[in-house]
Amino acid sequence: MFATIHIMASSRLPAAALTLKQFLQRQKVLSLYRNMMRTIRQVPDEGDRKYLRDWARDEFKRNKNTTNQDAIRMMITQANMHHDELQSSLALANVKK
């Protein structure tokens, strides 16, 4: 009977539960994605906005199943640089108006 209770209790977790480090990294990626989409919404030209939104979605989808932690860290760094670059471009465009 004890073995049955133990098996039932352990089966509540999904087979592929994330480690704390993976969970935090996932939250960082999701936050970056949301911030990128918010920033893209500020692009004034509709065509540019659509292009950037599609590009960002495709990049995140393409790398969705990456498991190598070093590669994920590198992609987060690159995405942050792209986000900062986009924000800078938008700030310059607003100053020129």
Side-chain angles (χ1 to χ4, degrees):
M1 181 172 159
F2 178 72
T4 305
I5 293 171
H6 176 70
I7 291 171
M8 287 174 52
S10 66
S11 66
R12 290 183 186 162
L13 287 176
L18 298 175
T19 66
L20 177 60
K21 189 173 187 177
Q22 290 169 327
F23 175 79
L24 293 173
Q25 197 167 48
R26 181 177 187 274
Q27 294 306 307
K28 191 182 292 188
V29 170
L30 291 173
S31 174
L32 178 58
Y33 179 80
R34 285 190 299 268
N35 288 337
M36 183 72 81
M37 290 299 157
R38 282 187 201 112
T39 302
I40 289 170
R41 271 189 250 142
Q42 297 172 16
V43 173
D45 183 71
E46 187 177 336
D48 291 342
R49 196 170 44 245
K50 182 181 178 352
Y51 171 80
L52 289 169
R53 189 175 46 243
D54 291 345
W55 169 80
R57 283 182 180 156
D58 289 344
E59 285 297 308
F60 278 87
K61 280 182 184 178
R62 187 169 57 87
N63 296 302
K64 179 181 176 179
N65 296 318
T66 303
T67 56
N68 182 314
Q69 296 298 308
D70 292 332
I72 293 170
R73 277 194 295 274
M74 181 189 72
M75 287 184 268
I76 289 171
T77 301
Q78 287 177 338
N80 276 321
M81 290 187 326
H82 287 300
H83 182 248
D84 293 345
E85 210 173 289
L86 180 58
Q87 285 183 318
S88 297
S89 296
L90 286 170
L92 286 173
N94 288 334
V95 167
K96 289 181 181 180
K97 285 184 177 180

Coordinates of all heavy atoms in Angstrom, one line a residue:
M1 N 0.8 -1.2 0.0 CA 0.0 0.0 0.0 C 0.9 1.3 0.0 O 0.6 2.2 -0.7 CB -0.9 0.0 1.2 CG -1.8 1.2 1.2 SD -3.0 1.1 2.5 CE -3.4 2.7 2.7
F2 N 1.9 1.3 0.8 CA 2.8 2.5 0.8 C 3.4 2.7 -0.6 O 3.5 3.9 -1.0 CB 3.9 2.3 1.9 CG 4.9 3.4 1.9 CD1 4.5 4.6 2.4 CD2 6.2 3.3 1.4 CE1 5.4 5.7 2.4 CE2 7.0 4.4 1.4 CZ 6.7 5.6 1.9
A3 N 3.8 1.7 -1.3 CA 4.4 1.8 -2.6 C 3.3 2.5 -3.5 O 3.7 3.3 -4.4 CB 4.8 0.5 -3.2
T4 N 2.1 2.1 -3.4 CA 1.0 2.7 -4.3 C 0.9 4.2 -4.0 O 0.8 4.9 -4.9 CB -0.3 1.9 -4.0 OG1 -0.1 0.5 -4.2 CG2 -1.4 2.4 -5.0
I5 N 0.9 4.6 -2.7 CA 0.7 6.0 -2.4 C 1.9 6.7 -2.9 O 1.8 7.8 -3.4 CB 0.6 6.1 -0.8 CG1 -0.7 5.5 -0.4 CG2 0.7 7.6 -0.5 CD1 -0.9 5.5 1.1
H6 N 3.1 6.2 -2.8 CA 4.4 6.8 -3.2 C 4.3 7.1 -4.8 O 4.7 8.1 -5.2 CB 5.6 6.0 -2.8 CG 6.9 6.6 -3.4 ND1 7.4 7.8 -2.9 CD2 7.7 6.2 -4.3 CE1 8.5 8.0 -3.5 NE2 8.7 7.1 -4.4
I7 N 3.9 6.1 -5.5 CA 3.8 6.2 -6.9 C 2.7 7.2 -7.3 O 3.0 8.0 -8.2 CB 3.4 4.8 -7.6 CG1 4.6 3.8 -7.4 CG2 3.0 4.9 -9.0 CD1 4.3 2.4 -7.8
M8 N 1.6 7.3 -6.7 CA 0.6 8.2 -7.0 C 1.1 9.7 -6.7 O 0.9 10.6 -7.5 CB -0.7 8.0 -6.2 CG -1.4 6.7 -6.7 SD -2.8 6.3 -5.6 CE -3.7 7.9 -5.5
A9 N 1.8 9.8 -5.6 CA 2.3 11.2 -5.3 C 3.4 11.6 -6.3 O 3.4 12.8 -6.6 CB 2.9 11.2 -3.8
S10 N 4.2 10.7 -6.7 CA 5.3 11.1 -7.6 C 4.8 11.4 -9.0 O 5.4 12.0 -9.8 CB 6.4 10.1 -7.6 OG 6.0 8.9 -8.1
S11 N 3.7 10.8 -9.4 CA 3.1 10.9 -10.7 C 2.5 12.3 -11.0 O 2.0 12.6 -12.1 CB 2.2 9.8 -11.1 OG 1.1 9.9 -10.3
R12 N 2.3 13.1 -9.9 CA 1.7 14.4 -10.1 C 2.5 15.4 -10.9 O 2.0 16.3 -11.5 CB 1.3 15.0 -8.7 CG 0.2 14.3 -8.0 CD -0.1 15.0 -6.7 NE -1.1 14.2 -6.0 CZ -1.3 14.3 -4.8 NH1 -0.6 15.2 -4.0 NH2 -2.2 13.5 -4.2
L13 N 3.9 15.2 -10.8 CA 4.7 16.1 -11.6 C 4.8 15.6 -13.0 O 4.8 14.4 -13.3 CB 6.2 16.0 -11.0 CG 6.4 16.7 -9.6 CD1 7.8 16.5 -9.1 CD2 6.1 18.2 -9.8
P14 N 4.9 16.5 -13.9 CA 5.1 16.1 -15.3 C 6.4 15.4 -15.5 O 7.4 15.7 -14.8 CB 5.0 17.5 -16.1 CG 5.0 18.5 -15.1 CD 4.8 18.0 -13.7
A15 N 6.5 14.6 -16.5 CA 7.7 13.8 -16.7 C 8.9 14.7 -17.0 O 10.0 14.4 -16.7 CB 7.5 12.9 -17.9
A16 N 8.6 15.9 -17.7 CA 9.7 16.8 -18.1 C 9.7 18.1 -17.3 O 9.6 19.2 -17.8 CB 9.7 17.1 -19.5
A17 N 9.6 18.0 -15.9 CA 9.6 19.2 -15.1 C 10.9 19.9 -15.2 O 11.9 19.4 -15.3 CB 9.3 18.8 -13.6
L18 N 10.8 21.3 -15.3 CA 11.9 22.1 -15.4 C 12.7 22.3 -14.1 O 12.1 22.3 -13.1 CB 11.5 23.5 -15.9 CG 10.8 23.6 -17.3 CD1 10.4 25.0 -17.5 CD2 11.7 23.1 -18.4
T19 N 14.0 22.4 -14.2 CA 14.8 22.7 -13.0 C 14.5 24.2 -12.7 O 14.0 24.9 -13.6 CB 16.3 22.5 -13.3 OG1 16.7 23.4 -14.3 CG2 16.6 21.1 -13.7
L20 N 15.0 24.6 -11.6 CA 14.8 26.0 -11.2 C 15.5 26.9 -12.2 O 15.0 28.0 -12.7 CB 15.3 26.3 -9.8 CG 15.2 27.8 -9.3 CD1 13.8 28.3 -9.4 CD2 15.8 27.9 -8.0
K21 N 16.7 26.5 -12.6 CA 17.5 27.3 -13.5 C 16.8 27.4 -14.9 O 16.8 28.5 -15.5 CB 18.9 26.7 -13.7 CG 19.9 27.5 -14.5 CD 21.3 26.8 -14.4 CE 22.3 27.7 -15.0 NZ 23.6 27.1 -14.9
Q22 N 16.3 26.3 -15.4 CA 15.6 26.3 -16.6 C 14.3 27.1 -16.5 O 14.0 27.9 -17.5 CB 15.2 24.9 -17.0 CG 16.4 24.0 -17.4 CD 16.0 22.6 -17.6 OE1 15.1 22.1 -16.8 NE2 16.7 21.9 -18.5
F23 N 13.6 27.1 -15.4 CA 12.4 27.8 -15.2 C 12.7 29.3 -15.3 O 12.0 30.1 -15.9 CB 11.7 27.5 -13.9 CG 10.5 28.3 -13.6 CD1 9.3 28.0 -14.1 CD2 10.6 29.4 -12.7 CE1 8.2 28.8 -13.9 CE2 9.5 30.2 -12.4 CZ 8.3 29.9 -13.0
L24 N 13.7 29.7 -14.6 CA 14.1 31.2 -14.5 C 14.5 31.6 -15.9 O 14.2 32.8 -16.4 CB 15.2 31.4 -13.5 CG 14.8 31.2 -12.1 CD1 16.0 31.3 -11.1 CD2 13.7 32.2 -11.7
Q25 N 15.3 30.8 -16.6 CA 15.7 31.1 -18.0 C 14.5 31.3 -18.9 O 14.4 32.2 -19.7 CB 16.7 30.1 -18.5 CG 17.5 30.5 -19.7 CD 18.7 29.6 -19.9 OE1 18.5 28.4 -20.0 NE2 19.8 30.2 -20.1
R26 N 13.5 30.4 -18.7 CA 12.3 30.4 -19.5 C 11.6 31.7 -19.3 O 11.1 32.4 -20.2 CB 11.4 29.2 -19.2 CG 10.2 29.1 -20.0 CD 9.4 27.9 -19.7 NE 8.2 27.7 -20.5 CZ 7.0 28.2 -20.3 NH1 6.8 29.0 -19.2 NH2 6.0 28.0 -21.1
Q27 N 11.5 32.1 -18.0 CA 10.8 33.4 -17.7 C 11.5 34.6 -18.3 O 10.9 35.5 -18.8 CB 10.7 33.5 -16.2 CG 9.8 32.5 -15.5 CD 8.5 32.5 -16.1 OE1 7.8 33.5 -16.2 NE2 8.0 31.3 -16.5
K28 N 12.8 34.5 -18.3 CA 13.6 35.6 -19.0 C 13.3 35.7 -20.5 O 13.2 36.7 -21.0 CB 15.1 35.3 -18.7 CG 16.0 36.5 -19.1 CD 17.5 36.1 -18.9 CE 17.8 36.0 -17.4 NZ 19.3 35.8 -17.2
V29 N 13.2 34.5 -21.1 CA 13.0 34.5 -22.6 C 11.5 35.0 -22.8 O 11.3 35.8 -23.7 CB 13.1 33.1 -23.1 CG1 12.6 33.0 -24.5 CG2 14.6 32.6 -23.1
L30 N 10.6 34.6 -22.0 CA 9.2 35.0 -22.2 C 9.1 36.5 -22.0 O 8.4 37.3 -22.7 CB 8.3 34.3 -21.3 CG 8.1 32.8 -21.6 CD1 7.2 32.1 -20.5 CD2 7.4 32.6 -23.0
S31 N 9.8 37.0 -21.0 CA 9.8 38.5 -20.7 C 10.4 39.2 -21.9 O 9.9 40.3 -22.3 CB 10.5 38.7 -19.4 OG 10.6 40.1 -19.2
L32 N 11.5 38.7 -22.4 CA 12.2 39.4 -23.5 C 11.3 39.4 -24.7 O 11.2 40.4 -25.4 CB 13.5 38.6 -23.8 CG 14.3 39.1 -25.0 CD1 14.7 40.6 -24.8 CD2 15.5 38.2 -25.1
Y33 N 10.6 38.3 -25.0 CA 9.6 38.2 -26.1 C 8.5 39.3 -26.0 O 8.2 40.0 -26.9 CB 9.0 36.8 -26.2 CG 8.0 36.7 -27.3 CD1 8.5 36.4 -28.6 CD2 6.7 36.7 -27.1 CE1 7.6 36.3 -29.7 CE2 5.7 36.6 -28.1 CZ 6.2 36.4 -29.4 OH 5.3 36.2 -30.4
R34 N 7.9 39.3 -24.8 CA 6.9 40.3 -24.5 C 7.4 41.8 -24.7 O 6.7 42.6 -25.3 CB 6.3 40.2 -23.1 CG 5.4 38.9 -23.0 CD 4.6 38.9 -21.7 NE 5.5 38.8 -20.6 CZ 5.9 37.7 -20.0 NH1 5.5 36.6 -20.5 NH2 6.7 37.7 -18.9
N35 N 8.6 42.0 -24.2 CA 9.2 43.4 -24.3 C 9.4 43.7 -25.8 O 9.2 44.8 -26.2 CB 10.4 43.5 -23.5 CG 10.2 43.5 -22.0 OD1 9.1 43.9 -21.6 ND2 11.1 43.2 -21.2
M36 N 9.9 42.7 -26.5 CA 10.2 42.9 -27.9 C 8.9 43.3 -28.7 O 8.8 44.2 -29.5 CB 10.8 41.7 -28.5 CG 11.2 41.8 -30.0 SD 12.7 42.9 -30.3 CE 14.0 41.7 -29.9
M37 N 7.8 42.5 -28.4 CA 6.6 42.8 -29.0 C 6.0 44.2 -28.7 O 5.4 44.9 -29.5 CB 5.5 41.7 -28.7 CG 5.9 40.4 -29.4 SD 5.9 40.5 -31.2 CE 6.9 39.2 -31.6
R38 N 6.2 44.5 -27.4 CA 5.7 45.9 -27.0 C 6.4 47.0 -27.7 O 5.9 48.0 -28.1 CB 5.9 46.0 -25.5 CG 4.8 45.4 -24.7 CD 5.0 45.7 -23.2 NE 4.3 44.7 -22.4 CZ 4.9 43.8 -21.6 NH1 6.2 43.9 -21.4 NH2 4.2 42.9 -20.9
T39 N 7.7 46.8 -27.8 CA 8.6 47.8 -28.5 C 8.2 47.8 -30.0 O 8.1 48.9 -30.6 CB 10.1 47.5 -28.3 OG1 10.4 47.4 -26.9 CG2 10.9 48.5 -29.0
I40 N 8.0 46.7 -30.6 CA 7.6 46.7 -32.0 C 6.3 47.4 -32.3 O 6.1 48.0 -33.3 CB 7.6 45.2 -32.5 CG1 9.0 44.6 -32.6 CG2 6.9 45.1 -33.9 CD1 9.1 43.2 -32.9
R41 N 5.4 47.3 -31.3 CA 4.1 48.0 -31.5 C 4.3 49.5 -31.6 O 3.4 50.2 -32.1 CB 3.2 47.8 -30.3 CG 2.4 46.5 -30.5 CD 1.3 46.4 -29.4 NE 1.7 45.3 -28.6 CZ 1.6 45.1 -27.3 NH1 1.1 46.1 -26.6 NH2 2.0 44.1 -26.6
Q42 N 5.4 50.1 -31.2 CA 5.7 51.5 -31.2 C 6.2 51.9 -32.6 O 6.3 53.1 -32.9 CB 6.7 51.9 -30.2 CG 6.2 51.6 -28.8 CD 7.3 51.9 -27.7 OE1 8.3 52.5 -28.0 NE2 7.1 51.4 -26.5
V43 N 6.6 51.0 -33.5 CA 7.1 51.3 -34.8 C 6.0 52.0 -35.6 O 4.9 51.4 -35.7 CB 7.6 50.0 -35.5 CG1 8.0 50.3 -37.0 CG2 8.8 49.4 -34.8
P44 N 6.2 53.2 -36.1 CA 5.1 53.9 -36.7 C 4.6 53.3 -38.1 O 3.4 53.3 -38.3 CB 5.7 55.3 -37.0 CG 7.1 55.2 -36.7 CD 7.4 53.9 -36.0
D45 N 5.5 52.8 -38.9 CA 5.1 52.3 -40.2 C 4.6 50.9 -40.1 O 5.2 50.0 -39.5 CB 6.3 52.3 -41.1 CG 6.0 51.8 -42.5 OD1 5.3 52.6 -43.2 OD2 6.3 50.7 -42.9
E46 N 3.4 50.7 -40.6 CA 2.7 49.4 -40.5 C 3.5 48.3 -41.1 O 3.6 47.1 -40.6 CB 1.3 49.5 -41.0 CG 0.5 48.2 -40.8 CD -1.0 48.3 -41.3 OE1 -1.5 49.5 -41.4 OE2 -1.6 47.3 -41.5
G47 N 4.0 48.5 -42.3 CA 4.8 47.5 -43.0 C 6.0 47.1 -42.2 O 6.3 45.9 -42.1
D48 N 6.7 48.1 -41.7 CA 7.9 47.8 -40.8 C 7.5 47.0 -39.6 O 8.2 46.1 -39.2 CB 8.7 49.1 -40.5 CG 9.3 49.7 -41.6 OD1 9.5 49.1 -42.7 OD2 9.6 50.9 -41.5
R49 N 6.4 47.4 -39.0 CA 5.9 46.8 -37.8 C 5.6 45.3 -38.1 O 6.0 44.4 -37.3 CB 4.7 47.5 -37.3 CG 4.3 47.2 -35.9 CD 3.2 48.2 -35.3 NE 2.1 48.4 -36.2 CZ 1.9 49.6 -36.7 NH1 2.6 50.7 -36.5 NH2 0.8 49.8 -37.5
K50 N 4.9 45.0 -39.2 CA 4.6 43.6 -39.5 C 5.9 42.8 -39.8 O 6.0 41.7 -39.3 CB 3.7 43.6 -40.7 CG 3.3 42.2 -41.1 CD 2.4 42.1 -42.3 CE 2.0 40.7 -42.8 NZ 2.6 39.6 -42.2
Y51 N 6.8 43.4 -40.5 CA 8.1 42.7 -40.8 C 8.8 42.4 -39.5 O 9.2 41.2 -39.3 CB 9.0 43.6 -41.7 CG 10.4 43.0 -41.9 CD1 10.6 42.0 -42.7 CD2 11.4 43.5 -41.1 CE1 11.9 41.5 -42.9 CE2 12.7 43.0 -41.2 CZ 12.9 42.0 -42.1 OH 14.2 41.4 -42.2
L52 N 8.9 43.3 -38.6 CA 9.6 43.1 -37.3 C 8.9 42.1 -36.5 O 9.5 41.2 -35.8 CB 9.8 44.4 -36.6 CG 10.8 45.4 -37.2 CD1 10.7 46.7 -36.5 CD2 12.3 44.8 -37.1
R53 N 7.6 42.2 -36.4 CA 6.8 41.2 -35.6 C 7.0 39.8 -36.2 O 7.2 38.9 -35.4 CB 5.3 41.7 -35.6 CG 4.5 40.9 -34.7 CD 3.0 41.4 -34.6 NE 2.5 41.6 -35.9 CZ 2.0 42.8 -36.4 NH1 2.1 43.9 -35.6 NH2 1.5 43.0 -37.6
D54 N 6.9 39.7 -37.5 CA 7.1 38.3 -38.1 C 8.5 37.8 -37.9 O 8.7 36.6 -37.6 CB 6.8 38.4 -39.6 CG 5.3 38.6 -39.9 OD1 4.4 38.5 -39.0 OD2 5.0 39.0 -41.0
W55 N 9.5 38.7 -38.0 CA 10.9 38.3 -37.8 C 11.1 37.8 -36.4 O 11.7 36.7 -36.1 CB 11.8 39.5 -38.1 CG 13.2 39.2 -37.7 CD1 14.1 38.5 -38.3 CD2 13.8 39.7 -36.5 NE1 15.3 38.5 -37.6 CE2 15.1 39.2 -36.4 CE3 13.3 40.5 -35.4 CZ2 16.0 39.5 -35.4 CZ3 14.2 40.8 -34.4 CH2 15.5 40.3 -34.4
A56 N 10.6 38.6 -35.4 CA 10.8 38.2 -34.0 C 10.1 36.9 -33.7 O 10.7 36.0 -33.0 CB 10.3 39.3 -33.1
R57 N 8.8 36.7 -34.1 CA 8.1 35.5 -33.9 C 8.8 34.3 -34.5 O 9.0 33.2 -33.9 CB 6.7 35.6 -34.5 CG 5.8 36.4 -33.6 CD 4.4 36.4 -34.3 NE 3.5 37.2 -33.4 CZ 2.4 37.8 -33.9 NH1 2.0 37.6 -35.1 NH2 1.6 38.5 -33.1
D58 N 9.3 34.5 -35.7 CA 10.0 33.4 -36.4 C 11.3 33.0 -35.7 O 11.6 31.8 -35.5 CB 10.3 33.7 -37.9 CG 9.1 33.8 -38.8 OD1 8.0 33.3 -38.3 OD2 9.2 34.4 -39.9
E59 N 12.0 34.0 -35.2 CA 13.3 33.7 -34.5 C 13.0 32.9 -33.2 O 13.7 32.0 -32.8 CB 14.0 35.0 -34.2 CG 14.7 35.6 -35.3 CD 15.8 34.7 -35.9 OE1 16.7 34.2 -35.1 OE2 15.8 34.5 -37.1
F60 N 12.0 33.4 -32.4 CA 11.7 32.7 -31.2 C 11.1 31.3 -31.4 O 11.5 30.4 -30.7 CB 10.7 33.5 -30.3 CG 11.3 34.6 -29.5 CD1 11.6 35.9 -30.1 CD2 11.7 34.4 -28.2 CE1 12.2 36.9 -29.3 CE2 12.3 35.4 -27.5 CZ 12.6 36.6 -28.0
K61 N 10.3 31.2 -32.4 CA 9.8 29.8 -32.8 C 10.9 28.9 -33.3 O 10.9 27.7 -32.9 CB 8.7 29.9 -33.9 CG 7.3 30.3 -33.4 CD 6.3 30.4 -34.5 CE 5.0 30.9 -34.0 NZ 4.0 30.9 -35.1
R62 N 11.8 29.4 -34.1 CA 12.8 28.6 -34.6 C 13.7 28.0 -33.6 O 14.3 26.9 -33.7 CB 13.7 29.4 -35.6 CG 14.7 28.7 -36.4 CD 15.3 29.5 -37.5 NE 15.9 30.8 -37.1 CZ 17.1 30.9 -36.7 NH1 17.9 29.9 -36.6 NH2 17.6 32.1 -36.3
N63 N 13.9 28.8 -32.5 CA 14.8 28.4 -31.4 C 14.1 27.8 -30.2 O 14.7 27.6 -29.2 CB 15.7 29.6 -31.0 CG 16.6 30.0 -32.1 OD1 17.4 29.2 -32.6 ND2 16.5 31.2 -32.5
K64 N 12.8 27.6 -30.4 CA 11.9 27.1 -29.3 C 12.4 25.8 -28.6 O 12.4 25.7 -27.4 CB 10.5 26.9 -29.8 CG 9.5 26.4 -28.8 CD 8.2 26.2 -29.5 CE 7.2 25.6 -28.5 NZ 5.9 25.4 -29.1
N65 N 12.9 24.9 -29.4 CA 13.3 23.6 -28.8 C 14.8 23.5 -28.5 O 15.3 22.4 -28.2 CB 12.9 22.5 -29.8 CG 11.4 22.4 -29.9 OD1 10.7 22.5 -29.0 ND2 10.9 22.3 -31.2
T66 N 15.5 24.6 -28.5 CA 16.9 24.6 -28.1 C 17.1 24.2 -26.6 O 16.4 24.7 -25.8 CB 17.6 25.9 -28.4 OG1 17.4 26.3 -29.7 CG2 19.1 25.9 -28.1
T67 N 18.0 23.3 -26.3 CA 18.2 22.8 -25.0 C 19.6 23.2 -24.4 O 19.8 23.1 -23.2 CB 18.0 21.3 -24.8 OG1 18.9 20.6 -25.7 CG2 16.5 20.9 -25.1
N68 N 20.5 23.5 -25.3 CA 21.9 23.8 -24.9 C 21.9 25.1 -24.1 O 21.6 26.2 -24.7 CB 22.8 23.9 -26.1 CG 24.2 24.2 -25.8 OD1 24.5 25.0 -25.0 ND2 25.1 23.4 -26.4
Q69 N 22.2 25.1 -22.9 CA 22.2 26.3 -22.0 C 23.1 27.4 -22.5 O 22.7 28.6 -22.4 CB 22.5 25.9 -20.6 CG 21.5 24.9 -19.9 CD 20.1 25.5 -19.8 OE1 19.9 26.6 -19.3 NE2 19.1 24.8 -20.4
D70 N 24.3 27.1 -23.0 CA 25.2 28.1 -23.5 C 24.6 28.8 -24.7 O 24.6 30.0 -24.9 CB 26.5 27.5 -23.8 CG 27.3 27.1 -22.6 OD1 27.0 27.6 -21.5 OD2 28.1 26.1 -22.7
A71 N 24.0 28.0 -25.6 CA 23.4 28.5 -26.8 C 22.2 29.4 -26.4 O 22.0 30.5 -27.0 CB 22.9 27.4 -27.7
I72 N 21.4 29.0 -25.5 CA 20.3 29.8 -25.0 C 20.7 31.2 -24.4 O 20.2 32.2 -24.7 CB 19.4 29.0 -24.0 CG1 18.7 27.8 -24.7 CG2 18.3 30.0 -23.4 CD1 18.1 26.9 -23.7
R73 N 21.8 31.1 -23.6 CA 22.3 32.4 -23.0 C 22.8 33.3 -24.1 O 22.6 34.5 -24.1 CB 23.5 32.1 -22.1 CG 23.0 31.7 -20.7 CD 24.1 31.7 -19.6 NE 25.1 30.7 -19.9 CZ 25.0 29.5 -19.5 NH1 24.0 29.0 -18.8 NH2 26.0 28.6 -19.8
M74 N 23.5 32.7 -25.2 CA 24.0 33.5 -26.3 C 22.8 34.2 -27.0 O 22.8 35.3 -27.4 CB 24.8 32.7 -27.2 CG 25.4 33.4 -28.4 SD 26.1 32.4 -29.6 CE 24.6 31.6 -30.3
M75 N 21.7 33.4 -27.3 CA 20.6 33.9 -28.0 C 19.9 35.0 -27.2 O 19.4 36.0 -27.7 CB 19.6 32.8 -28.3 CG 20.1 31.9 -29.4 SD 18.9 30.6 -29.9 CE 19.4 29.3 -28.9
I76 N 19.8 34.8 -25.8 CA 19.2 35.9 -25.0 C 20.0 37.2 -25.1 O 19.5 38.3 -25.2 CB 19.1 35.4 -23.5 CG1 18.1 34.3 -23.4 CG2 18.8 36.6 -22.6 CD1 18.0 33.6 -22.0
T77 N 21.3 37.0 -25.1 CA 22.2 38.2 -25.2 C 22.0 38.9 -26.6 O 21.8 40.1 -26.6 CB 23.7 37.8 -25.1 OG1 23.9 37.2 -23.8 CG2 24.6 39.0 -25.2
Q78 N 21.9 38.1 -27.6 CA 21.7 38.7 -29.0 C 20.3 39.3 -29.1 O 20.2 40.4 -29.6 CB 21.8 37.6 -30.0 CG 23.2 37.1 -30.3 CD 23.3 36.0 -31.3 OE1 22.3 35.3 -31.5 NE2 24.5 35.9 -31.9
A79 N 19.3 38.7 -28.5 CA 18.0 39.3 -28.5 C 17.9 40.6 -27.7 O 17.2 41.5 -28.2 CB 17.0 38.3 -28.0
N80 N 18.6 40.6 -26.6 CA 18.6 41.9 -25.8 C 19.3 43.0 -26.6 O 18.9 44.1 -26.6 CB 19.4 41.7 -24.5 CG 18.5 41.1 -23.4 OD1 17.3 41.5 -23.3 ND2 19.0 40.2 -22.7
M81 N 20.4 42.6 -27.4 CA 21.0 43.6 -28.2 C 20.1 44.1 -29.3 O 20.0 45.4 -29.6 CB 22.3 43.1 -28.8 CG 23.4 42.9 -27.7 SD 25.1 42.4 -28.3 CE 24.8 41.4 -29.7
H82 N 19.4 43.2 -30.0 CA 18.4 43.6 -31.0 C 17.3 44.5 -30.4 O 16.9 45.5 -31.0 CB 17.8 42.4 -31.6 CG 18.7 41.7 -32.6 ND1 19.3 42.2 -33.7 CD2 19.1 40.4 -32.5 CE1 20.0 41.3 -34.3 NE2 19.9 40.2 -33.6
H83 N 16.9 44.2 -29.2 CA 15.8 45.0 -28.5 C 16.3 46.4 -28.2 O 15.7 47.4 -28.5 CB 15.4 44.2 -27.3 CG 14.3 44.9 -26.6 ND1 14.5 45.5 -25.3 CD2 13.0 45.2 -26.9 CE1 13.3 46.1 -25.0 NE2 12.4 45.9 -25.9
D84 N 17.5 46.4 -27.7 CA 18.1 47.7 -27.3 C 18.3 48.6 -28.6 O 18.1 49.8 -28.6 CB 19.5 47.6 -26.6 CG 19.3 47.0 -25.2 OD1 18.2 46.9 -24.7 OD2 20.3 46.5 -24.7
E85 N 18.8 47.9 -29.7 CA 19.0 48.6 -31.0 C 17.6 49.2 -31.5 O 17.6 50.3 -32.0 CB 19.5 47.6 -32.0 CG 20.4 48.1 -33.0 CD 21.0 47.0 -33.8 OE1 21.9 46.3 -33.3 OE2 20.6 46.9 -35.0
L86 N 16.6 48.4 -31.4 CA 15.3 48.8 -31.8 C 14.8 50.0 -31.0 O 14.3 51.0 -31.6 CB 14.3 47.7 -31.8 CG 12.9 48.0 -32.2 CD1 12.8 48.5 -33.7 CD2 12.0 46.7 -32.1
Q87 N 15.0 49.9 -29.7 CA 14.6 51.0 -28.8 C 15.3 52.3 -29.2 O 14.8 53.4 -29.2 CB 14.7 50.7 -27.4 CG 13.7 49.7 -26.9 CD 13.9 49.4 -25.4 OE1 15.0 49.2 -24.9 NE2 12.8 49.4 -24.7
S88 N 16.6 52.2 -29.4 CA 17.4 53.3 -29.8 C 17.0 53.9 -31.1 O 16.9 55.2 -31.2 CB 18.9 52.9 -29.9 OG 19.4 52.5 -28.7
S89 N 16.7 53.1 -32.1 CA 16.2 53.6 -33.4 C 14.9 54.3 -33.2 O 14.7 55.4 -33.8 CB 16.0 52.4 -34.3 OG 17.3 51.8 -34.6
L90 N 14.0 53.8 -32.4 CA 12.7 54.4 -32.2 C 12.9 55.8 -31.5 O 12.2 56.8 -31.8 CB 11.8 53.5 -31.4 CG 11.2 52.4 -32.1 CD1 10.5 51.4 -31.2 CD2 10.2 52.9 -33.2
A91 N 13.8 55.8 -30.5 CA 14.1 57.1 -29.8 C 14.6 58.1 -30.7 O 14.2 59.3 -30.7 CB 15.0 56.8 -28.6
L92 N 15.5 57.7 -31.6 CA 16.1 58.7 -32.6 C 15.0 59.1 -33.6 O 14.9 60.3 -33.9 CB 17.2 58.0 -33.4 CG 18.5 57.8 -32.6 CD1 19.5 57.0 -33.5 CD2 19.1 59.2 -32.3
A93 N 14.1 58.2 -34.0 CA 13.0 58.6 -34.9 C 12.1 59.6 -34.2 O 11.6 60.5 -34.9 CB 12.3 57.3 -35.3
N94 N 11.8 59.4 -33.0 CA 11.0 60.3 -32.2 C 11.6 61.7 -32.0 O 10.9 62.7 -32.0 CB 10.5 59.7 -30.9 CG 9.5 58.6 -31.1 OD1 8.8 58.5 -32.1 ND2 9.5 57.7 -30.2
V95 N 12.9 61.8 -31.9 CA 13.6 63.0 -31.7 C 13.6 63.8 -33.0 O 13.4 65.0 -32.9 CB 15.1 62.8 -31.2 CG1 15.9 64.0 -31.3 CG2 15.1 62.2 -29.8
K96 N 13.7 63.1 -34.1 CA 13.8 63.8 -35.4 C 12.4 64.5 -35.8 O 12.4 65.3 -36.7 CB 14.2 62.9 -36.5 CG 15.7 62.5 -36.4 CD 16.1 61.5 -37.5 CE 17.5 61.1 -37.3 NZ 17.9 60.2 -38.4
K97 N 11.3 64.0 -35.2 CA 10.0 64.5 -35.6 C 9.8 66.0 -35.2 O 10.2 66.6 -34.3 CB 8.9 63.7 -34.9 CG 8.7 62.4 -35.6 CD 7.6 61.6 -35.0 CE 7.4 60.3 -35.8 NZ 6.3 59.6 -35.3

